[in-house]
Amino acid sequence: MRDTRESRLLLVLLVAVAFALITVDIRGGQESPVDGARQAAAAVFGPVENGVAAAVDPIGNAIGAVRDSGERHNRIAALEKENAELKAELGSDDRNRNRLRELDAMLKTAGAGQYGIKGAQVVAIGSAQGFSWTVTLDVGARDGIQRDMTVLNGAGLVGRVTTVGPSTSTVLLANDPDFTVGTRMEKSDELGFATGQGDRPLLVQLLNGKAKVKPGDRLVTFGSAGSRPFVPGVPVGEIVRVDPMGGGLTRNVYVRPYVGFTKLDIVGVVVQAPRSDPRDTVLPQKPKPAPTVTVTVTAKPPADGQADEQAQGEAAEQPIRGDAAKPAQEQDPGRTREQNQGQAQNQGQAQDPNGQEDATP
């Protein structure tokens, strides 16, 4: 149809009639005057709509499936990623139990020394500052961490904080060659300075060159002024070797640290020092030596009958040698010593080679 004035008037008229029918239908409700016309139209066009829908629905479903396949793939990928993250976060049961033991041991150490600590986890090893022995923690200035704070775990001294960022911090480990801490011997109170030696035992220089120390003796931190960078009483390690005294003013000993620096995970940063020096109370209890079992065996005396049989057997085993087997008191006392010896010699020669006595008188 061409766009003319008549066609436009017809379009306007049709639209007006449609709106009028819609208004009458809405106001009429269930008794609408156009209800009969609607039913007649449904009877005529219903089968046509069903036929068209049956022919068109498979095509529409295929188009929808192609359109939704991309969304489903993205959803599956997101679920797989979320599952992997949950597995990584939860970890294995063995790791969870191990971390629980580390956390429990650290809390016991902090409780024994009355240290106020901030729990942290080691998230990186090493540092961009060089080849020093350092670790990075997941706590920083936002968590109240400051430079020169003591770091420990359930075993003992880990190190001290050297660098602090907003959410992370760097710890210099106690086995680093640039690390030095004041120490105090258990019970004897001998003072010294411990220096790291990498993967070797700590070198401790005792201030008293005549100090009496031995392998197995234990050390703790002496503490610093204002408890920075070290709080007192933190276990350091035990002596494994002692250099002989050379008459010098100091004496060197070698200490195996309690902390395993290659397997750090859960640590605590001491944010509040104890009110008083805990001294040796934080040291673990020494294992008690196993009791020595002594077994005493008592010989049972033989019965009377067995004793008689044993005595008779021993008597039967003794050979009879004639006069030579007689005791000295049975020899003739009237003879001289030389005559008695000669008689014994003659009796010995009278025996045959088989050890039997000569029957000749």
Side-chain angles (χ1 to χ4, degrees):
M1 180 181 293
R2 290 181 296 177
D3 186 12
T4 59
R5 184 175 181 182
E6 291 78 3
S7 62
R8 292 180 181 179
L9 291 174
L10 180 60
L11 178 62
V12 172
L13 180 61
L14 292 175
V15 170
V17 172
F19 274 107
L21 293 176
I22 292 172
T23 303
V24 172
D25 185 29
I26 292 174
R27 290 183 178 181
Q30 295 181 354
E31 298 179 356
S32 173
V34 297
D35 186 58
R38 184 187 300 109
Q39 293 178 358
V44 174
F45 294 105
V48 178
E49 291 178 353
N50 292 334
V52 174
V56 175
D57 282 348
I59 300 175
N61 293 336
I63 296 174
V66 173
R67 183 178 64 252
D68 296 339
S69 63
E71 298 179 358
R72 292 177 182 175
H73 179 74
N74 295 334
R75 180 59 178 169
I76 292 173
L79 291 175
E80 290 178 349
K81 182 180 179 181
E82 183 179 357
N83 189 23
E85 291 177 353
L86 289 175
K87 288 182 178 179
E89 183 178 354
L90 294 176
S92 63
D93 293 339
D94 293 339
R95 183 186 177 191
N96 289 336
R97 285 192 293 266
N98 184 48
R99 297 182 70 183
L100 182 60
R101 287 193 297 267
E102 290 184 8
L103 179 60
D104 183 64
M106 183 181 69
L107 293 177
K108 289 180 179 179
T109 298
Q114 298 299 310
Y115 306 122
I117 62 172
K118 180 70 176 181
Q121 182 179 358
V122 175
V123 295
I125 301 175
S127 174
Q129 299 174 356
F131 297 98
S132 57
W133 290 72
T134 60
V135 294
T136 302
L137 307 182
D138 60 350
V139 292
R142 297 173 182 172
D143 305 291
I145 308 301
Q146 299 179 7
R147 193 169 182 268
D148 287 338
M149 282 185 170
T150 307
V151 182
L152 52 80
N153 66 1
L157 180 66
V158 173
R160 62 181 177 88
V161 178
T162 56
T163 305
V164 180
S167 58
T168 60
S169 55
T170 303
V171 177
L172 183 68
L173 300 181
N175 64 335
D176 188 90
D178 293 333
F179 187 94
T180 301
V181 58
T183 61
R184 182 179 57 79
M185 295 291 303
E186 180 185 14
K187 296 181 180 179
S188 66
D189 293 339
E190 294 287 350
L191 302 181
F193 293 95
T195 304
Q197 296 192 113
D199 53 359
R200 295 180 295 169
L202 305 176
L203 172 61
V204 179
Q205 191 176 43
L206 298 177
L207 301 182
N208 183 6
K210 298 180 180 180
K212 295 181 180 180
V213 292
K214 63 183 184 301
D217 291 346
R218 305 185 295 181
L219 301 88
V220 297
T221 57
F222 178 69
S224 307
S227 298
R228 292 286 190 91
F230 302 108
V231 294
V234 181
V236 176
E238 63 180 30
I239 297 176
V240 293
R241 183 163 65 90
V242 180
D243 283 350
M245 290 186 296
L249 298 178
T250 61
R251 190 177 187 185
N252 293 337
V253 298
Y254 299 88
V255 174
R256 180 179 62 245
Y258 288 123
V259 174
F261 298 104
T262 59
K263 51 183 180 180
L264 293 172
D265 187 12
I266 304 298
V267 299
V269 182
V270 181
V271 295
Q272 183 177 359
R275 295 181 179 179
S276 60
D277 188 351
R279 300 188 68 80
D280 303 332
T281 58
V282 189
L283 283 170
Q285 294 183 357
K286 288 186 176 181
K288 296 181 180 180
T292 303
V293 179
T294 304
V295 180
T296 304
V297 179
T298 304
K300 182 179 180 181
D304 296 340
Q306 295 178 353
D308 295 340
E309 292 177 359
Q310 182 177 1
Q312 292 176 2
E314 293 178 354
E317 292 178 357
Q318 295 180 357
I320 300 175
R321 301 280 180 164
D323 293 340
K326 294 180 180 180
Q329 63 268 22
E330 294 183 3
Q331 296 181 2
D332 190 359
R335 297 182 180 181
T336 62
R337 179 179 182 183
E338 289 78 4
Q339 291 175 348
N340 290 331
Q341 292 178 353
Q343 181 181 0
Q345 183 176 5
N346 293 332
Q347 291 177 354
Q349 293 176 356
Q351 295 179 358
D352 60 5
N354 294 327
Q356 301 294 331
E357 292 184 355
D358 191 359
T360 304

